[in-house]
Amino acid sequence: MKMLLTLAAVASLAGTNLSRAQQAPEAVRSPIVLTGADMRPATSLNGEWATIVDPYSNGFSSYFRNQKQQAGDTRPIEYDFSKSPTLKVPGDWNTQRDALLYYEGTVWYEREFTYQPKEHTRIFLHIGAANYRSWFWVNGKKVCEHEGGYTSFNCEVTEAIHAGGNFVVAAVDNTRHEDGVPTLKTDWWNYGGLTRAVSLIEVPETFIDQYDVHLARGAGATIEGWVHVVGGEAGAKVEVEIPELAAKTASVAGGDGRAAIHLEVSGLERWSPETPKLYRVKISAGRDSIEDLIGFRTIETRGTEILLNGKPIFLRGVCIHAEAPYRGGRAYSDKDAETLLGWAKELGANYVRLAHYPHDETMLRAADRMGLLVWSENPVYWAIQFDNPKVLAKAEQQLDEEIETSRNHAAIILWSMANETPNNETRTRFIESLASHARELDATRLITAALLVRAEGHTKIVDDPLGKTLDVIGANEYIGWYEQTPEGADTTEWRVAYDKPLIMSEFGGGAKAGLHGAENERWTEEYQADIYRHQLAMFNRIPQLRGLSAWILMDFRSPTRNLAGIQDGFNRKGLISDQGQKKAAFFVLQKAYLDRTVGKAE
Ligand code: GCB
């Protein structure tokens, strides 16, 4: 009742809020996914955008028109983008303006640009990511809306754009919602804004929207997959060429717009962390063509083994948030990616868990180039509304976008459905449904999730029923930090109910860089290093352990970490501080990785 009154009061006080609610999407799918969008010629719209901070979402009735007060004009136009301060795109708003560090609500963005559309083309506004909901208008015409803060999407602007001067207006709202994915509570910063690159992509009327080119499992060298063409009649001719392998194939799209690919190649150098070989792959259909850089490898499991290119591998890794080193805020650039992944390489890692949502394309490209295997995750985190079908639709939509845009990255070997979800039937059904959806979209990779672990005395038990659905089991544990002392690991035994590979997907503890003291003194580098020493010894007593991703590479901002003088708004479990200082634990793990004293010998 109280809730109804509140809603009624808000509606009568602020009619504009109501109109926004009417426009709000129910997990709208962006109609076109563009695989390899970053490889297409594009007109960048990155740079300074005029912005209006709109905490009451007042602008939904007018700001998108970008009106200008004319001389003698008496209309009450109470906004003016041309006089408003700017924010950089890509970039979160929180770290660009002090007053916005904690802001949660709507910010309006406006940018003017000139454009000359070609004839017989379609034009898309490509948004790398906008957290969390966003609405877009071009020249005052609404072109799309989107929900989900970590995946790219494309708004068709063909009808809205014209030759000469144009403007684009976006409303981005990072308000958290109970029925959002993720939901109200996360242990990372809710960075808002146009956090990744924005561009215009123009394609012929008949164009390639998605493709999947991968190496077939088995000892041979068969490259297979498909290319999907939009706008062509069935019968559109598709060609795929890998010049370096002197391989070329032509096929024809069926009624569903898909053309199957099959290429027998010889002399293929398989992609691996040691040899991250990428090939130029040219895909064309009619007047459209795209050139991607793709590595070829296989990934599968056999019993408790993970096989990369048919050979057992142990994943020596670390978790990474998309947090920018040194400057803070959401990571988006090649430099951010190269710094983070460079540190992972220095650690001796061959694998990274990109937590807890899909990361930027720049990160995946860098992982392909640098030879790091990737666990990529859907933001189903902790207790979302598993009993709400709309939430399932939202999670599925984000998973679709993640897989459809990133499926050609050799680096990605694992699709993670979720992190630390409560063990109950509704949750299990929800994630089973996501997992079968992921398998339908991509049968070439492994499905995982980071599970909670239970304990009986000194035994840790991994028997969450979700394990049945997964190819690889992820388990998170914090012995020595949230429970027991670091020595607790010495007497801990592990029981895993599934005959499948296990990855310890998180373990670790906090330390403030530069704080030194005794090994039993929390928050010191010595304490954190001690946790790692005991953990590493324990790992060698888990026969089916096939990988590790320590939590976490670098300290990251979190609204839940408020211990003054130590955390100051940062989760301090990084092996490296946000300013690049390596802590003692970094070197403990590095030694174990480089000397191969942890994990099953490959
Ligand atoms: C976890 C979560 C991760 C947190 C971490 C911590 O289990 O998966 O998101 O940040 O613990 O530091 O507590």
Side-chain angles (χ1 to χ4, degrees):
M1 189 59 191
K2 186 159 170 258
M3 182 66 176
L4 282 177
L5 278 177
T6 316
L7 285 178
V10 168
S12 67
L13 283 173
T16 48
N17 265 355
L18 201 63
S19 69
R20 183 177 71 120
Q22 283 160 358
Q23 294 186 41
E26 293 273 338
V28 174
R29 262 214 72 160
S30 56
I32 293 286
V33 168
L34 291 174
T35 313
D38 63 320
M39 300 303 273
R40 286 184 174 273
T43 304
S44 171
L45 294 180
N46 292 342
E48 300 291 334
W49 288 53
T51 51
I52 299 176
V53 179
D54 185 18
Y56 289 10
S57 294
N58 182 50
F60 279 86
S61 58
S62 60
Y63 290 5
F64 58 89
R65 295 197 189 95
N66 188 22
Q67 288 163 305
K68 306 265 191 292
Q69 199 90 51
Q70 309 296 339
D73 181 351
T74 56
R75 290 173 302 167
I77 303 174
E78 298 187 16
Y79 70 94
D80 186 344
F81 280 108
S82 67
K83 296 196 170 71
S84 300
T86 61
L87 284 172
K88 263 197 199 64
V89 173
D92 60 85
W93 62 57
N94 314 69
T95 56
Q96 293 192 59
R97 218 179 276 166
D98 289 348
L100 298 182
L101 181 61
Y102 289 96
Y103 181 70
E104 295 192 309
T106 302
V107 171
W108 290 83
Y109 287 77
E110 185 268 352
R111 192 192 201 278
E112 289 172 19
F113 60 95
T114 53
Y115 200 77
Q116 296 299 333
K118 299 190 191 77
E119 294 212 327
H120 306 297
T121 60
R122 290 174 70 176
I123 307 165
F124 296 93
L125 182 64
H126 176 75
I127 295 104
N131 189 35
Y132 169 77
R133 290 170 114 175
S134 53
W135 297 259
F136 291 81
W137 296 261
V138 167
N139 297 326
K141 189 173 184 322
K142 183 157 172 209
V143 289
C144 71
E145 52 194 58
H146 183 263
E147 179 165 354
Y150 302 98
T151 42
S152 70
F153 54 98
N154 303 284
C155 308
E156 175 145 25
V157 301
T158 314
E159 301 299 325
I161 208 165
H162 46 241
N166 293 270
F167 65 88
V168 53
V169 172
V172 184
D173 181 357
N174 70 336
T175 306
R176 288 163 296 125
H177 297 275
E178 207 162 356
D179 65 351
V181 180
T183 180
L184 298 178
K185 199 168 169 200
T186 60
D187 187 19
W188 71 86
W189 208 265
N190 180 24
Y191 292 119
L194 295 172
T195 54
R196 297 181 188 165
V198 178
S199 62
L200 285 164
I201 296 176
E202 189 165 353
V203 295
E205 276 168 339
T206 297
F207 66 99
I208 300 155
D209 63 336
Q210 295 186 38
Y211 50 90
D212 179 335
V213 186
H214 63 262
L215 182 65
R217 283 182 184 148
T222 305
I223 290 171
E224 60 178 20
W226 48 265
V227 176
H228 186 260
V229 179
V230 175
E233 303 302 316
K237 194 174 159 210
V238 169
E239 280 183 0
V240 176
E241 186 182 358
I242 309 174
E244 202 181 326
L245 293 171
K248 190 170 180 172
T249 181
S251 69
V252 167
D256 59 356
R258 257 192 201 211
I261 303 169
H262 186 99
L263 263 170
E264 297 294 338
V265 294
S266 60
L268 178 75
E269 189 181 340
R270 289 181 176 227
W271 186 98
S272 74
E274 295 74 36
T275 56
K277 169 72 186 164
L278 301 174
Y279 287 92
R280 293 213 158 268
V281 178
K282 193 172 170 198
I283 304 166
S284 45
R287 291 199 299 124
D288 194 24
S289 73
I290 180 163
E291 215 172 275
D292 207 335
L293 270 175
I294 302 179
F296 297 102
R297 54 100 195 97
T298 59
I299 191 76
E300 62 205 304
T301 62
R302 186 180 57 205
T304 62
E305 299 289 357
I306 298 175
L307 306 180
L308 177 73
N309 293 323
K311 290 194 224 88
I313 185 167
F314 188 86
L315 304 176
R316 298 180 302 277
V318 64
C319 297
I320 304 182
H321 258 298
E323 184 97 359
Y326 304 108
R327 73 179 152 75
R330 184 59 71 233
Y332 56 76
S333 67
D334 285 331
K335 187 158 176 264
D336 295 337
E338 280 167 8
T339 305
L340 291 166
L341 297 183
W343 283 333
K345 292 285 274 188
E346 198 182 329
L347 184 67
N350 59 6
Y351 142 76
V352 289
R353 174 180 176 208
L354 300 182
H356 283 299
Y357 39 76
H359 285 216
D360 193 276
E361 212 34 55
T362 52
M363 194 72 169
L364 302 173
R365 292 273 174 214
D368 276 349
R369 269 195 318 273
M370 296 168 76
L372 282 157
L373 296 157
V374 167
W375 158 317
S376 177
E377 190 153 296
N378 201 28
V380 173
Y381 183 85
W382 291 349
I384 65 166
Q385 287 185 344
F386 291 110
D387 57 352
N388 182 344
K390 286 185 186 162
V391 172
L392 179 58
K394 292 178 194 190
E396 235 176 48
Q397 174 210 321
Q398 295 190 45
L399 186 64
D400 280 356
E401 290 170 347
E402 176 188 7
I403 295 178
E404 289 171 352
T405 55
S406 325
R407 64 182 343 144
N408 294 294
H409 290 289
I412 302 177
I413 51 166
L414 290 154
W415 297 124
S416 166
M417 300 297 105
N419 179 70
E420 291 186 355
T421 51
N423 177 357
N424 62 59
E425 271 178 34
T426 320
R427 181 288 317 245
T428 303
R429 271 199 305 277
F430 185 106
I431 296 177
E432 278 170 359
S433 155
L434 281 183
S436 65
H437 188 71
R439 285 197 176 95
E440 269 167 38
L441 287 177
D442 179 10
T444 73
R445 290 185 174 79
L446 308 175
I447 302 294
T448 192
L451 305 179
L452 290 164
V453 169
R454 67 185 183 89
E456 270 173 24
H458 291 294
T459 307
K460 290 278 185 199
I461 301 168
V462 186
D463 64 354
D464 184 323
L466 196 52
K468 280 193 211 91
T469 311
L470 308 176
D471 299 314
V472 174
I473 314 282
N476 294 356
E477 56 88 10
Y478 283 91
I479 298 170
W481 189 254
Y482 292 125
E483 52 165 317
Q484 310 172 58
T485 57
E487 294 74 32
D490 305 348
T491 48
T492 301
E493 296 306 321
W494 284 78
R495 204 162 78 214
V496 184
Y498 305 99
D499 192 31
K500 297 180 179 184
L502 175 76
I503 295 178
M504 209 58 83
S505 36
E506 284 180 31
F507 60 95
K512 183 163 160 94
L515 184 67
H516 294 283
E519 261 179 11
N520 62 358
E521 219 178 310
R522 268 173 97 82
W523 300 112
T524 61
E525 290 195 25
E526 286 70 16
Y527 187 94
Q528 188 191 34
D530 197 41
I531 292 181
Y532 274 79
R533 270 185 224 104
H534 289 278
Q535 289 279 328
L536 287 165
M538 176 184 76
F539 293 146
N540 282 333
R541 300 198 310 273
I542 311 175
Q544 72 196 81
L545 189 73
R546 294 294 174 268
L548 296 171
S549 28
W551 190 260
I552 186 170
L553 181 69
M554 190 189 80
D555 291 352
F556 59 97
R557 259 201 191 83
S558 169
T560 66
R561 307 293 173 171
N562 296 312
L563 180 61
I566 300 277
Q567 294 176 314
D568 301 315
F570 282 80
N571 184 314
R572 296 285 182 209
K573 294 191 190 70
L575 295 168
I576 304 180
S577 81
D578 52 296
Q579 294 307 310
Q581 294 156 269
K582 297 194 176 85
K583 307 180 193 174
F586 178 94
F587 300 103
V588 174
L589 187 61
Q590 183 190 48
K591 188 158 177 16
Y593 281 172
L594 294 180
D595 295 353
R596 305 284 196 272
T597 52
V598 70
K600 195 170 170 285
E602 286 151 39

